[in-house]
Amino acid sequence: MNEIEVIARRILGWKLNRWDRWFDPEKRIFIYDFQPDKNLEHALFIVEKLKSFGYTYSSTGDYQVCFNEVCETGDTLAQAITNAAFSLADNRSIAEEWL
């Protein structure tokens, strides 16, 4: 899974409906072309979801973002949010879990 898939599936709880469309079962809506690293509106979906899990969001500097003590940077604010969220997600492969 790539970075976007990990965030969509493991943080947001979305399901891939088609190659270009995710489904949010909680809100019962489709999200087209989910690109949180390029689209600030999409990145803010992540911020809101992590806040609902109890994480504190802060932005330090122009393009540095923290969720609690996990901080990451990016070339844009959207990219920094995406990078920090990916750092929070469990990104081990299933095969590694069985070792």
Side-chain angles (χ1 to χ4, degrees):
M1 276 193 280
N2 69 27
E3 181 176 276
I4 304 304
E5 286 181 87
V6 168
I7 291 168
R9 292 179 193 274
R10 296 182 180 167
I11 292 178
L12 298 171
W14 294 352
K15 302 192 182 323
L16 190 61
N17 180 263
R18 214 172 58 187
W19 68 271
D20 66 338
R21 180 173 71 190
W22 290 90
F23 180 68
D24 179 348
E26 185 178 295
K27 295 179 182 172
R28 307 208 44 83
I29 60 170
F30 291 101
I31 295 86
Y32 292 87
D33 297 320
F34 182 59
Q35 296 181 345
D37 56 332
K38 297 179 177 107
N39 183 328
L40 184 58
E41 182 181 340
H42 289 176
L44 293 176
F45 290 156
I46 300 166
V47 172
E48 291 308 312
K49 188 65 162 188
L50 288 172
K51 282 182 176 180
S52 76
F53 291 150
Y55 285 91
T56 302
Y57 168 80
S58 62
S59 180
T60 56
D62 288 336
Y63 305 122
Q64 182 176 12
V65 165
C66 298
F67 291 106
N68 293 354
E69 64 279 341
V70 175
C71 299
E72 293 290 340
T73 61
D75 293 332
T76 64
L77 180 58
Q79 191 176 58
I81 291 169
T82 303
N83 292 342
F86 183 69
S87 292
L88 285 174
D90 179 13
N91 55 16
R92 294 175 293 156
S93 72
I94 292 171
E96 290 174 355
E97 292 177 12
W98 293 100
L99 296 178

